[in-house]
Amino acid sequence: MKKNVIVMLSGFCLDVLFGDPSGNVHPICGIGFLISKAEHILRNYFDKTEKQEKRAGMFLVIFVLTITLSITALLLLFVRFLAKWAVFFTEIILCWYMLAMKSLKKESMAVYAELNKNDLKSARKAVSRIVGRDTQNLTKEGVIKATVETIAENTSDGVVAPLFYMTFFGALGGVFYKTVNTMDSMVGYKNEKYIHFGKYAALLDDIVNYIPARLSAIFMCCAATLLKYDGKNSFKIWIRDKRKHASPNSAQTEAACAGALGIQLAGDAWYFGKKYQKPFIGDKKRNIEVEDIKRANKLLYGTSIIAITVFSAFAVFIANNCKKERKI
């Protein structure tokens, strides 16, 4: 487990320094391509009934996870066969690929830059790269809110959750998590097209994120206090509003962020041309403003640092105690 900690810390440092490696060779791009092709094949094979679409979605989850984990395991085995020391560096690179802290900040700050230039059209285009909702008619407030929400939610999905799985299961754990998360982001919608087909992908994502999402919210409340935001209110709003989302996990960090900044998030939003009614998260102590994007990014970094510190300490503690028990 100590090795996992070293690998995870190294991957985290690479992400902090260089951000998410871009390009078509990115493993997440490969996973996305696999999901897309598998969906096309399965939809053509199974009938369009509710039962058959659910079955097709279940096969998608099993097939994609089997392929991605097998390829990763074989890669590590092949590298180990060539040189034992090389597998260590391969795992570090894989962990680096699974994290998205700096890229999340970069993309959200691109929205910030366009808003500061009063270019709402460009800001809408920039935010469309990091959110799933329709952005073409968003107001300035709507753009800011969407950006802050995605920073808050992806603090868990893009950083803390991968760190959690990499700490305890190594690079293979990170690949497992990002595969599940990518499937959910591609087919886990509750619209007409995916309500049945994406059921199992969405359910599995809810399960694997259950613990990390709640840990992320707790860490964010702590980060809010350390950063001299309203830590007490962050905890209060998290406890009160953490269930105000269709997903059992998404409102966790959104609520903690809203409370820390004293703003109101969520509310009705448009997806694929259809309006979805969603409850508000947080109290509107003040109007949301452009600077809240910067504040949310500070919470992102603060939460991530607390998470990696706690996970590393816990893993080392467990490893040391297991070593002592073996000696006895």
Side-chain angles (χ1 to χ4, degrees):
M1 193 173 283
K2 286 183 178 179
K3 179 194 171 187
N4 289 348
V5 170
I6 296 171
V7 167
M8 175 197 65
L9 285 169
S10 301
F12 181 79
C13 289
L14 286 172
D15 182 63
V16 171
L17 291 172
F18 305 109
D20 194 31
S22 59
N24 295 326
V25 295
H26 198 295
I28 304 301
C29 292
I31 293 169
F33 177 80
L34 180 63
I35 294 167
S36 181
K37 288 297 180 183
E39 178 186 354
H40 178 72
I41 293 168
L42 289 166
R43 282 191 181 276
N44 286 332
Y45 183 80
F46 287 90
D47 294 333
K48 300 296 186 286
T49 64
E50 177 182 336
K51 184 179 180 180
Q52 289 296 302
E53 285 203 351
K54 286 180 179 178
R55 184 172 292 177
M58 180 179 66
F59 275 104
L60 176 84
V61 171
I62 294 170
F63 174 75
V64 172
L65 278 173
T66 300
I67 295 297
T68 53
L69 293 178
S70 296
I71 290 174
T72 305
L74 287 171
L75 171 65
L76 294 174
L77 190 65
F78 176 72
V79 173
R80 185 181 292 275
F81 177 77
L82 293 177
K84 286 185 177 181
W85 58 267
V87 74
F88 178 74
F89 294 100
T90 304
E91 287 187 271
I92 290 173
I93 298 301
L94 282 172
C95 289
W96 176 23
Y97 272 117
M98 297 304 118
L99 296 168
M101 185 173 72
K102 188 169 183 177
S103 63
L104 178 58
K105 179 185 177 183
K106 179 183 176 182
E107 293 294 334
S108 61
M109 289 306 293
V111 181
Y112 174 88
E114 298 299 341
L115 288 171
N116 271 339
K117 291 189 288 187
N118 292 315
D119 190 344
L120 183 57
K121 185 178 179 180
S122 295
R124 287 169 177 163
K125 186 176 180 181
V127 78
S128 70
R129 293 195 289 265
I130 55 175
V131 301
R133 72 190 66 183
D134 299 343
T135 63
Q136 61 270 26
N137 296 314
L138 286 178
T139 63
K140 181 179 180 180
E141 180 182 336
V143 171
I144 300 169
K145 187 184 288 187
T147 307
V148 171
E149 285 173 17
T150 201
I151 294 169
E153 184 178 351
N154 283 288
T155 297
S156 178
D157 292 357
V159 188
V160 178
L163 288 174
F164 177 84
Y165 283 97
M166 288 188 290
T167 300
F168 299 103
F169 305 104
L172 205 60
V175 172
F176 165 78
Y177 173 77
K178 291 304 292 185
T179 301
V180 172
N181 191 242
T182 304
M183 277 193 287
D184 179 64
S185 68
M186 290 181 68
V187 304
Y189 297 101
K190 292 185 177 180
N191 55 24
E192 186 178 349
K193 183 178 180 181
Y194 289 113
I195 185 67
H196 303 306
F197 184 84
K199 178 182 177 181
Y200 290 104
L203 178 61
L204 184 58
D205 186 73
D206 288 343
I207 292 169
V208 301
N209 274 299
Y210 192 86
I211 293 174
R214 283 147 185 81
L215 289 175
S216 298
I218 294 170
F219 296 154
M220 188 171 284
C221 292
C222 296
T225 302
L226 294 173
L227 292 167
K228 300 191 185 303
Y229 296 142
D230 197 338
K232 185 178 179 180
N233 193 55
S234 179
F235 186 78
K236 171 190 167 185
I237 299 298
W238 169 56
I239 293 296
R240 192 192 73 187
D241 293 351
K242 61 185 178 182
R243 294 183 180 89
K244 288 186 176 181
H245 201 286
S247 162
N249 303 316
S250 296
Q252 300 287 329
T253 44
E254 284 186 34
C257 180
L261 303 182
I263 57 176
Q264 197 171 62
L265 297 175
D268 297 349
W270 290 80
Y271 294 87
F272 304 105
K274 184 178 178 180
K275 186 178 181 180
Y276 287 81
Q277 293 184 326
K278 300 164 68 176
F280 288 108
I281 295 173
D283 295 328
K284 194 173 183 179
K285 294 186 173 183
R286 61 175 178 80
N287 291 326
I288 196 167
E289 59 186 20
V290 178
E291 290 302 312
D292 286 317
I293 296 175
K294 273 190 172 182
R295 296 178 186 121
N297 275 311
K298 288 181 180 179
L299 282 172
L300 161 67
Y301 272 68
T303 303
S304 302
I305 291 168
I306 291 172
I308 202 166
T309 302
V310 172
F311 292 159
S312 299
F314 184 75
V316 170
F317 174 79
I318 294 296
N320 287 338
N321 276 272
C322 287
K323 190 176 181 180
K324 287 178 182 178
E325 286 182 8
R326 283 197 296 269
K327 286 183 179 180
I328 293 172

